[in-house]
Amino acid sequence: MFAQTVQALGALLIGGVFVWAGVEHFVKFKAMTEYLAGRHFPAPAFLLAAGSALEIVAGSLFAMGIAVPFAAGALVVFTLAANMLLLRFWACEGLERQTSRSAFLVNFAVIGGLLLAATV
């Protein structure tokens, strides 16, 4: 019983972070689209909308314990893509490099949590 409660809480926390981020991206859609356009993303509005919708849907499924392996897989792929495309710390210097590297590594920890949860 205790283990199930802890697993459910963990899924709620991880899934909730993705839902929160997806909603925030829609709230700040114009600024986020301009940021992606500045980074030379093709179709930045479409990619932002698709990625944010994926975060909300898969994050919600994951948090509620529905289709967990599918939701976790979608979130792993999304997080890997976002990491490689947006958190390119190796191309930065100084404080920006340190900040990006920290976020990059935290995202890998989140991926680890998603993978663990998907196999339970």
Side-chain angles (χ1 to χ4, degrees):
M1 178 71 171
F2 177 74
Q4 290 174 330
T5 302
V6 171
Q7 289 171 347
L9 178 60
L12 182 63
L13 292 172
I14 293 173
V17 166
F18 282 99
V19 172
W20 180 278
V23 169
E24 185 175 42
H25 293 157
F26 279 119
V27 169
K28 299 177 179 178
F29 195 81
K30 186 176 189 299
M32 294 292 295
T33 301
E34 290 170 357
Y35 173 76
L36 292 176
R39 306 266 322 237
H40 307 292
F41 271 64
F46 172 77
L47 287 177
L48 179 60
S52 299
L54 182 141
E55 284 183 292
I56 293 167
V57 171
S60 296
L61 291 172
F62 190 86
M64 293 184 292
I66 301 169
V68 171
F70 169 77
L75 293 170
V76 164
V77 170
F78 172 82
T79 304
L80 280 172
N83 245 16
M84 300 311 291
L85 295 171
L86 292 174
L87 297 174
R88 300 167 37 90
F89 67 88
W90 53 89
C92 304
E93 293 184 19
L95 183 58
E96 183 182 6
R97 180 184 178 100
Q98 183 179 353
T99 303
S100 293
R101 183 177 52 223
S102 293
F104 188 92
L105 293 173
V106 166
N107 281 348
F108 270 100
V110 169
I111 289 168
L114 289 166
L115 293 173
L116 284 171
T119 61
V120 173

